[in-house]
Amino acid sequence: MSSIPVQCAGGSYEVVVDPGGLHSLGARALEVARGRRVLLVADSAVADTHAIRATSGLEAAGFRVQACSIVSDEHRKSMATVESLYQAGLGAGLGRSDLVVSVGGGLVGDVAGFLAATYLRGIDFINVPTTLLAMVDASVGGKTGVNLPLPDDDGVPRLGKNLAGAFWPPRLVLADPELLESLPDRELRCGLAECVKHGVIASQDLLDGIDHRLDVIRSADPAATAWLVDQAVRIKARVVEEDEHEHGRRAVLNLGHTFGHAIEPIDSLDLLHGEAVSVGLVAAIALSRAIGQLEGDWADGFVRRLERIGLPVQLPQAVPVAELLLRMGFDKKAHGGSHTLIVPHCPGRVSIVPDVPEEAIVAAWRAVGAD
Ligand SMILES: NC(=O)c1ccc[n+]([C@@H]2O[C@H](COP(=O)([O-])OP(=O)(O)OC[C@H]3O[C@@H](n4cnc5c(N)ncnc54)[C@H](O)[C@@H]3O)[C@@H](O)[C@H]2O)c1
């Protein structure tokens, strides 16, 4: 078991990494909660398993739990879903000192966190992440939110990711790596993409450690995944503590994401978030090379590492560069048409580069198979 404190403006919270620790949720919730009513928001995929255990543990500790579940689908990561959860909270008599508990992946955590941030102007939130991505990334740092439909200028409906949201740190994150045993292998690999990203941002040791343990991590061995979650959370915690509200340095966590977000919504590519990030990381390396910022000879080995994990390193099919540039323009981080991108120099050294020339972005896309 390990416990990683994360400092934030309102105080601090612990990310507890504890194989088998779900059974301690009730006792841990008692330590941080003020009220005794809970709205538990579960991912429907774990509603009959992990969420039932979470509910029983909370009830045994004296909480009155109203449980509801939502389907993890980016189209349901919406204001309509939040509205229905407000109604569930009101129906359960949830007051200002009560609690929202999320049991699910990053999607459910973002929705439940946003619910907690806005219900009665903000109530306490506990996150029990059930995917690797949520344990190492989404549950740490206090970002919550939902998607919004973008203005439909050209007749093509598009979803703007996380365009409504709030910074709302949890009171506690309880990461139980045993919950990953039920996670589909493809989702586990997606979480690994974010871990590898953390490694490029801050730590060659994390990258080496993943290499050494890859087989046991891929089989969701709790001791191996506990090590991984602990290491990756420490990196993310350090970055978000430096810049809680993303005015500067925190943007490095978007490494690979500006590219990834452009391709993730293209249905025909069939890429999950972590897979899109994997291709995005390769594009970010190509961008670094194109603007003369790549240092050393780590890049080829890094791409092979992604392949060994079972992550894509190229677009599954060619997409016109013009479409990709357009899609990047929709990214809320692009300011007035000038692109600020996160550029990796070598593992442990990345920087935020403003005004990246369009030719370099085109070269980066071509390097991952764009037309
Ligand atoms: N807040 C942040 O800082 C932050 C950071 C990164 C990503 N995100 C958000 O997180 C979301 C992606 O999160 P994700 O990758 O966890 O995806 P997800 O929440 O959609 O979950 C992935 C899939 O795994 C299933 N699942 C979850 N836990 C399971 C378990 N233990 N066993 C079996 N199946 C399980 C879900 O039903 C879903 O089908 C995106 O919406 C993204 O925007 C937020």
Side-chain angles (χ1 to χ4, degrees), residues 74 161 259-267 269 271-274 276:
E74 289 292 336
K161 291 258 298 172
F259 291 104
H261 282 160
I263 53 179
E264 191 181 345
I266 303 178
D267 288 338
L269 297 180
L271 291 171
L272 298 178
H273 178 72

Side-chain angles (χ1 to χ4, degrees), residues 2-342:
S2 64
S3 184
I4 301 138
V6 184
Q7 306 296 329
C8 56
S12 73
Y13 58 94
E14 299 284 325
V15 180
V16 175
V17 184
D18 186 9
L22 183 60
H23 74 87
S24 66
L25 175 63
R28 291 186 189 281
L30 282 177
E31 286 170 16
V32 296
R34 294 168 294 142
R36 290 291 173 268
R37 282 179 208 267
V38 171
L39 182 65
L40 185 141
V41 184
D43 187 317
S44 60
V46 300
D48 294 335
T49 52
H50 310 324
I52 297 243
R53 288 180 53 215
T55 301
S56 314
L58 288 164
E59 286 175 345
F63 290 96
R64 272 175 66 180
V65 183
Q66 168 74 48
C68 38
S69 67
I70 57 179
V71 174
S72 272
D73 168 344
E74 289 292 336
H75 292 278
R76 307 236 186 150
K77 188 178 177 181
S78 64
M79 291 304 294
T81 299
V82 175
E83 167 71 36
S84 72
L85 293 170
Y86 289 147
Q87 294 304 320
L90 292 171
L94 225 67
R96 296 194 64 182
S97 61
D98 290 323
L99 195 60
V100 172
V101 175
S102 160
V103 181
L107 190 147
V108 170
D110 277 9
V111 172
F114 185 61
L115 165 76
T118 49
Y119 181 81
L120 304 182
R121 298 199 182 85
I123 66 172
D124 288 343
F125 176 49
I126 290 180
N127 198 337
V128 182
T130 63
T131 65
L132 180 57
L133 183 140
M135 289 184 191
V136 299
D137 196 4
S139 65
V140 184
K143 271 191 188 179
T144 72
V146 295
N147 302 327
L148 295 179
L150 287 169
D152 186 359
D153 300 338
D154 51 7
V156 183
R158 290 192 185 87
L159 211 52
K161 291 258 298 172
N162 305 322
L163 292 185
F167 286 98
W168 193 250
R171 304 275 294 145
L172 167 73
V173 179
L174 176 57
D176 177 351
E178 284 187 6
L179 307 188
L180 301 176
E181 287 170 344
S182 59
L183 191 67
D185 182 54
R186 189 175 174 196
E187 295 291 349
L188 192 80
R189 280 183 268 132
C190 283
L192 268 164
E194 297 287 355
C195 296
V196 166
K197 179 200 78 178
H198 287 8
V200 177
I201 290 170
S203 162
Q204 179 69 50
D205 288 350
L206 176 58
L207 295 175
D208 293 342
I210 292 172
D211 275 354
H212 293 142
R213 296 171 178 82
L214 190 54
D215 289 343
V216 271
I217 291 173
R218 287 286 303 278
S219 65
D221 171 75
T225 48
W227 171 84
L228 179 63
V229 172
D230 175 89
Q231 296 296 302
V233 166
R234 284 179 198 279
I235 292 172
K236 173 129 191 202
R238 221 163 55 218
V239 175
V240 300
E241 281 176 349
E242 243 180 78
D243 175 23
E244 186 180 354
H245 294 146
E246 199 171 325
H247 296 308
R249 184 69 189 161
R250 183 170 174 161
V252 298
L253 294 168
N254 292 323
L255 176 66
H257 281 62
T258 312
F259 291 104
H261 282 160
I263 53 179
E264 191 181 345
I266 303 178
D267 288 338
S268 59
L269 297 180
D270 187 27
L271 291 171
L272 298 178
H273 178 72
E275 294 167 339
V277 167
S278 176
V279 177
L281 288 171
V282 179
I285 290 171
L287 176 77
S288 181
R289 184 178 280 128
I291 59 173
Q293 296 282 326
L294 196 64
E295 295 167 9
D297 57 0
W298 61 283
D300 291 346
F302 178 78
V303 173
R304 282 197 296 278
R305 171 181 280 126
L306 292 173
E307 288 178 310
R308 257 199 318 280
I309 292 172
L311 287 164
V313 296
Q314 290 274 305
L315 294 169
Q317 65 190 49
V319 180
V321 168
E323 178 184 342
L324 295 168
L325 292 178
L326 195 67
R327 286 180 179 274
M328 286 176 103
F330 275 111
D331 191 300
K332 64 185 183 297
K333 293 175 193 81
H335 301 291
S338 89
H339 294 281
T340 296
L341 287 160
I342 315 306

